[in-house]
Amino acid sequence: MNKTMLALAALSLAAPALANTPSPRPTLEQAADAALTHDMHAWDFVEGITTEVGPRQAGTEAEARARAWATAWLKARGFANVADEPFMMETWVPGDIARARVTAPFAQELAVLPLGDSAATPAGGIEAEVVFFRNVEELRAAPAGSLKGKIAYISHAMTRTQDGSQYGFAGPARWVGAGIAASKGALATIIKSVGTDHHRNPHTGGTSFPEGVAPTPAGALSLPDAANLERMFARADGRPVTLKLEMNPRQIGETLSGNVVGEIVGRNPSLPPVLLACHIDSWWNAPGAFDDGAGCAIIAAAAKNASTAGQPLRTIRVLMAGAEEVGLFGSVAYSKAHLSEPIAVGLESDFGADRIWRFDSNFRTSNPVLHKKIASAVARFGVSAGTDVAGGGADLNVVRDQKGALIDLQQDGTRYFDLHHTPDDTLDKIDLAQLRQNVAVWTQVVGILANEDTAILTGTPVPAAPAIMGGK
Ligand code: ZN
Ligand code: ZN
């Protein structure tokens, strides 16, 4: 016999034996370890949604396609009670014109995109002198009315950080800058993108206008274009820097969005479930691989993997919230609809796909036994136990509103703001090994929580379920 025939003979002998051997159920630890090297659920989700759906602006038909896609994906993988829970929202769309051109003293185009909730310029654009603010604090200090007829430009000095904390430092330029400038009479506002990359990609994101202040056009310049504008101020020798801005975003009124949910049903469905959250929408300018296709991929994969170790005690529910980017509409709607249904603990993934390096909870002092149990279980994945009080993510309003238990699995955010809300947020930026480390850590943590028979926040034993004990 040649080698091939030998191999075939060996296979025919081995095959019946294999067929009769029930595959042993992995322990939770083995399921998590397998995710570290083999998980394909998360990749399949994020590869699939970025390829088959792509950008999915909240409240639009693209987001509806994303919800239908995620619903089908969950059903195909055996999730129960899969639903798209609808809600109505005020919807903003970006339009298709976004131009900024310095007209004096050094005429040239700058790369710009509108911020969410920006108003449109009149057709043909507006042209005005630009007033330079190094940060939002300088803008706050500007006298009332001093920006009448002007365009405000707001800079900042954001740097890369592992914990992403500089988003909180630089973010106000985007979140509130346009509203403050408008309240002082500005015609429009442009900001240095709140981001850390060096590409000519403006970072969009939501802005806001205070009650009683009419929205104005508001846009973000790419970081290199913002730097160029700032050099112009330095070289202008006191001459005014003028800019022509044209954008046509608009509000289109109420449209439908929705929250996609699905469950791995627990052995005792009357116990409060473990809630895993992400958001299904993205901005229009990117396929949203990091933000937040990866997050939805990680939570869905973890729920699935944790259940391979056996049906969990508690139900594991995934919540892929709609319309997060534009104002947490999905999170608010979910809490409104489900506030009276207690959640055991909430976790969210919405910070890309790079490795988890620390975990925090809000029960470290109230339930130290469980906190330590999780800490020792994730240590092998290089995850340290933190001492911060977990606040949960944007889509966990329901848990915060219930004053419930929260865990934050902190991801490495060093390159997150290079990609966040830019056209560079694409699948190729996801490192499969780091994505799998996320899934492994989540599988381990979710498996522990879903089999915990004490109240997560306090550690007190939960009473036997009345429904199962024949209470009604
Ligand atoms: Zn996000
Ligand atoms: Zn985002």
Side-chain angles (χ1 to χ4, degrees):
M1 281 196 274
N2 63 28
K3 274 185 189 166
T4 308
M5 289 167 77
L6 267 173
L8 284 171
L11 196 66
S12 66
L13 284 173
L18 278 175
N20 290 337
T21 309
S23 60
R25 175 174 284 165
T27 63
L28 177 61
E29 285 65 31
Q30 287 168 337
D33 287 344
L36 187 66
T37 50
H38 292 84
D39 178 75
M40 286 309 296
H41 293 305
W43 182 263
D44 183 72
F45 186 99
V46 70
E47 190 260 352
I49 198 166
T50 53
T51 306
E52 295 192 25
V53 181
R56 38 199 187 275
Q57 179 74 24
T60 70
E61 63 77 32
E63 192 203 37
R65 277 189 286 118
R67 296 198 311 278
W69 187 94
T71 302
W73 191 96
L74 290 169
K75 283 182 179 165
R77 275 148 194 85
F79 281 76
N81 305 323
V82 176
D84 180 359
E85 301 181 354
F87 59 87
M88 298 301 289
M89 59 174 286
E90 290 290 333
T91 295
W92 173 94
V93 292
D96 54 3
I97 297 172
R99 293 185 201 117
R101 179 176 176 79
V102 174
T103 46
F106 310 117
Q108 59 174 299
E109 300 281 337
L110 302 176
V112 70
L113 279 182
L115 298 178
D117 270 347
S118 167
T121 63
I126 52 170
E127 186 172 355
E129 182 182 349
V130 183
V131 183
F132 179 13
F133 297 97
R134 281 178 300 181
N135 50 56
V136 86
E137 293 314 315
E138 278 192 6
L139 171 65
R140 281 185 212 279
S146 61
L147 293 176
K148 212 166 166 42
K150 307 272 175 61
I151 295 173
Y153 165 73
I154 313 165
S155 186
H156 59 78
M158 182 176 180
T159 56
R160 293 184 180 92
T161 47
Q162 185 185 28
D163 66 0
S165 56
Q166 287 253 318
Y167 191 46
F169 166 64
R174 194 192 85 217
W175 304 330
V176 297
I180 296 169
S183 72
K184 295 174 190 284
L187 285 176
T189 298
I190 51 171
I191 65 166
K192 177 181 179 179
S193 283
V194 174
T196 50
D197 69 312
H198 295 281
H199 293 176
R200 291 193 76 185
N201 291 335
H203 296 231
T204 189
T207 191
S208 59
F209 296 88
E211 198 72 34
V213 175
T216 60
L221 300 177
S222 81
L223 276 87
D225 287 273
N228 192 5
L229 179 65
E230 293 181 24
R231 290 194 304 273
M232 290 181 190
F233 276 96
R235 286 173 170 267
D237 281 334
R239 287 170 291 175
V241 175
T242 58
L243 184 91
K244 187 171 179 193
L245 183 68
E246 186 176 12
M247 298 192 300
N248 64 347
R250 65 194 187 281
Q251 304 284 349
I252 59 169
E254 281 214 329
T255 67
L256 189 72
S257 182
N259 289 319
V260 173
V261 293
E263 292 183 338
I264 303 291
V265 177
R267 300 195 302 279
N268 187 345
S270 64
L271 286 177
V274 174
L275 183 68
L276 317 182
C278 66
H279 65 86
I280 196 76
D281 64 312
S282 76
W283 290 101
W284 79 96
N285 62 332
F290 250 47
D291 186 14
D292 184 25
C296 291
I298 290 163
I299 68 163
K304 192 78 196 137
N305 292 335
S307 71
T308 63
Q311 187 184 16
L313 175 67
R314 295 174 188 271
T315 292
I316 304 168
R317 182 180 301 159
V318 298
L319 163 61
M320 300 181 174
E324 187 268 354
E325 295 289 10
V326 291
L328 320 189
F329 291 112
S331 187
V332 169
Y334 189 85
S335 184
K336 199 172 162 197
H338 298 281
L339 188 60
S340 64
E341 304 156 26
I343 301 289
V345 58
L347 303 80
E348 179 178 283
S349 182
D350 184 15
F351 203 46
D354 284 346
R355 62 181 297 111
I356 295 170
W357 59 282
R358 194 182 77 193
F359 103 91
D360 292 303
S361 79
N362 67 347
F363 51 80
R364 186 173 63 89
T365 52
S366 59
N367 189 357
V369 173
L370 181 59
H371 186 93
K372 281 181 190 146
K373 183 178 178 181
I374 294 169
S376 69
V378 298
R380 72 185 189 281
F381 300 117
V383 180
S384 64
T387 54
D388 285 3
V389 176
D395 292 307
L396 290 171
N397 270 9
V398 67
V399 183
R400 277 186 296 274
D401 293 346
Q402 292 177 0
K403 303 194 183 340
L406 293 162
I407 288 178
D408 290 339
L409 296 171
Q410 309 282 9
Q411 293 168 285
D412 184 345
T414 308
R415 65 189 184 122
Y416 186 67
F417 293 103
D418 288 359
L419 307 170
H420 178 249
H421 302 180
T422 77
D424 264 352
D425 183 2
T426 49
L427 185 71
D428 57 310
K429 308 308 184 301
I430 292 186
D431 172 51
L432 180 58
Q434 295 198 64
L435 178 70
R436 283 176 167 161
Q437 188 262 7
N438 275 266
V439 179
V441 174
W442 273 78
T443 298
Q444 180 72 55
V445 174
V446 169
I448 290 172
L449 296 169
N451 288 290
E452 181 64 32
D453 59 1
T454 62
I456 309 288
L457 202 54
T458 60
T460 54
V462 289
I468 284 181
M469 299 302 283
K472 61 175 181 181

